[in-house]
């Protein structure tokens, strides 16, 4: 008998990669999709309309803020695995919608865990929670591991920390197989367009095609540990395959500033950026023709910021051999090639 998985957040970046991996592993995949006035299944249409997966891939309307809906879906689908990836996942937006973020990202997890408990599935269903490096805030200046203190500095980080703990609580109290993957930033051509890597790749490609004059960003000096979403989705699958539930960090162990990421994307189109000025007046200039290609905009700064994130994933490496296979340069290459291809087609 094939195993059955339910993925919340299946229409997102990670959900789409995870669905591909599970289907390849012959697992039947059910996904939770929010109803909206526009159809937003672009990232999974290749699976949904693939005849190969006709009786293996199913979508259901639902929402993390609707507990009755979650209980009835868990009952109907009767999954072996639940991957809880659904979230309002944008940190800056969480400052503007803190209550909604707490509801979807925090209480949503509780609703799913309660569904497992109420339906007496505590011995059947394995649960994966999409936890985040954002929960650490600025508590550690060097390498972060599973024992590092949590000190979130955003409504998003705080809501996710509640989910992290409620996952552990249900594991300890009810014996549910429930694990946290504490993932550092991971990107891809499928990344949402308002996250910094995709925004930069897109803007640099637009500049290449003369569709845009310059890029406007916020904090150039924030450092992130950026990996590839495909590698991290495989790590999620590996985490849920372990004999015993536990919490694991997935990260590359290397980090770069937003500034460096921008320089690397411009380098891909043979432009060298030099920086001039300070703070909001700082600009990135094309060394060759002195044109301003990067500006700093106040609106992209957050009320509070995580300055520096770098993770130690040695626990995952030791337990199941997980490795972030994609270097930052290969990640940028893939994102830039995809962006240039898409814009080239539109030209
Ligand atoms: P994403 O692209 O923003 O996808 C989020 C998904 O959640 C989308 O499918 C979205 O649906 C869905 N969703 C949002 N609110 C919902 C609600 N109320 N009910 C049902 N579904 C809802 O995020 P991602 O990058 O794939 O990340 C996946 C998960 O990992 C998230 O929980 C995120 O917080 C966490 N995480 C991400 C990273 C990272 O670097 N990517 C790092 C650590 C943790 P729509 O398509 O309808 O918007
Ligand atoms: O790409 P970002 O918006 O990602 P952020 O805030 O690190 O959050 C992502 O990673 C978390 C894991 O640590 C996930 F949990 C979360 O769901 C999400 O996937 O911003 C990265 C950095 C920040 O320091 C931000 O201030 O880039 C800085 N930044 C500078 N200019 C910008 C911009 N971020 C965005 N989104 N847009 C800018 O123009």
């Amino acid at each position: 008998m094939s195993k059955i998985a339910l993925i919340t957040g299946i229409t997102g970046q990670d959900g789409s990669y995870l669905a591909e991996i599970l289907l390849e592993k012959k697992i039947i995949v059910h996904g939770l999709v929010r109803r909206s006035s526009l159809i937003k299944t672009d990232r999974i249409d290749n699976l949904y309309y693939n005849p190969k997966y006709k009786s293996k891939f199913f979508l259901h309307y639902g929402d993390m803020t609707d507990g009755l809906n979650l209980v009835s879906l868990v009952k109907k689908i009767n999954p072996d695995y639940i991957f809880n990836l659904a979230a309002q996942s944008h940190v800056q937006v969480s400052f503007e919608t803190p209550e909604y973020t707490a509801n979807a990202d925090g209480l949503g997890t509780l609703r799913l865990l309660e569904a497992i408990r109420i339906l007496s599935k505590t011995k059947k269903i394995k649960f994966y929670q999409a936890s985040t490096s954002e929960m650490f805030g600025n508590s550690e200046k060097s390498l972060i591991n599973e024992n590092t203190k949590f000190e979130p500095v955003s409504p998003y980080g705080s809501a996710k920390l509640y989910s992290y703990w409620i996952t552990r609580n249900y594991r300890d109290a009810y014996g549910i197989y429930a694990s946290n993957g504490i993932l550092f930033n991971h990107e891809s051509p499928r990344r949402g367009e308002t996250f910094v890597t995709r925004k930069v790749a897109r803007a640099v490609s637009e500049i290449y095609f003369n569709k845009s004059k310059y890029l406007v960003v916020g904090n150039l000096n924030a450092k992130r540990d950026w990996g590839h979403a495909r590698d991290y989705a495989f790590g999620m699958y590996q985490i849920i395959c372990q004999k015993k539930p536990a919490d694991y960090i997935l990260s590359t162990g290397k980090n770069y500033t937003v500034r460096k990421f921008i320089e690397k994307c411009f380098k891909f189109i043979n432009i060298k950026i030099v920086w001039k000025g300070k703070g909001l007046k700082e600009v990135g200039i094309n060394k060759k023709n002195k044109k301003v290609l990067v500006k700093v905009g106040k609106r992209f700064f957050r009320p509070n910021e995580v300055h520096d994130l770098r993770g130690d994933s040695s626990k995952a490496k030791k337990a199941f051999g997980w490795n972030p296979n994609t270097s930052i340069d290969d990640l940028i290459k893939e994102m830039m090639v995809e962006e240039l291809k898409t814009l080239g087609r539109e030209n």
Side-chain angles (χ1 to χ4, degrees), residues 46-246:
N46 61 322
L47 304 174
Y48 195 65
Y49 294 109
N50 187 338
K52 197 169 132 194
Y53 300 131
K54 198 169 182 303
S55 54
K56 296 181 174 62
F57 188 59
F58 305 92
L59 298 176
H60 309 264
Y61 282 117
D63 199 294
M64 295 306 292
T65 61
D66 182 345
L68 290 178
N69 158 262
L70 295 176
V71 174
S72 69
L73 279 180
V74 172
K75 184 162 193 270
K76 186 166 107 184
I77 296 164
N78 194 21
D80 300 285
Y81 310 118
I82 296 180
F83 291 90
N84 183 30
L85 310 187
Q88 188 303 93
S89 73
H90 202 285
V91 175
Q92 185 164 13
V93 171
S94 79
F95 286 98
E96 285 152 41
T97 61
E99 184 184 343
Y100 174 72
T101 303
N103 194 357
D105 300 14
L107 290 179
T109 308
L110 174 69
R111 292 183 184 105
L112 271 178
L113 288 163
E114 268 295 88
I116 295 172
R117 192 186 66 81
I118 292 164
L119 296 167
S120 303
K121 302 282 179 196
T122 53
K123 297 285 171 273
K124 174 182 161 82
I125 298 178
K126 286 177 143 190
F127 183 82
Y128 171 92
Q129 170 57 21
S131 285
T132 164
S133 49
E134 190 71 18
M135 300 186 306
F136 298 108
N138 294 306
S139 77
E140 174 62 65
K141 300 240 170 328
S142 76
L143 209 52
I144 293 167
N145 66 29
E146 289 82 359
N147 300 316
T148 301
K149 192 173 156 207
F150 296 117
E151 226 171 72
V153 298
S154 64
Y156 169 78
S158 299
K160 282 285 188 175
L161 186 54
Y162 172 80
S163 282
Y164 167 89
W165 277 116
I166 204 69
T167 298
R168 288 188 61 161
N169 295 161
Y170 272 58
R171 173 164 91 208
D172 296 338
Y174 304 116
I176 297 180
Y177 182 111
S179 297
N180 284 286
I182 309 171
L183 274 48
F184 283 59
N185 298 50
H186 43 278
E187 319 294 313
S188 74
R190 299 184 198 171
R191 188 54 144 152
E193 285 169 14
T194 59
F195 294 93
V196 77
T197 56
R198 179 80 195 282
K199 177 177 161 176
V200 171
R202 178 99 189 160
V204 171
S205 305
E206 283 174 355
I207 289 166
Y208 178 83
F209 282 114
N210 286 322
K211 284 189 157 190
S212 210
K213 286 199 166 59
Y214 52 80
L215 155 74
V216 187
V217 287
N219 184 1
L220 286 163
N221 299 317
K223 280 182 149 180
R224 289 293 182 271
D225 178 334
W226 281 300
H228 195 302
R230 197 188 299 112
D231 298 336
Y232 288 58
F234 190 68
M236 294 175 196
Y237 167 70
Q238 288 182 300
I239 288 174
I240 222 164
C241 286
Q242 297 312 295
K243 221 170 177 176
K244 287 193 176 148

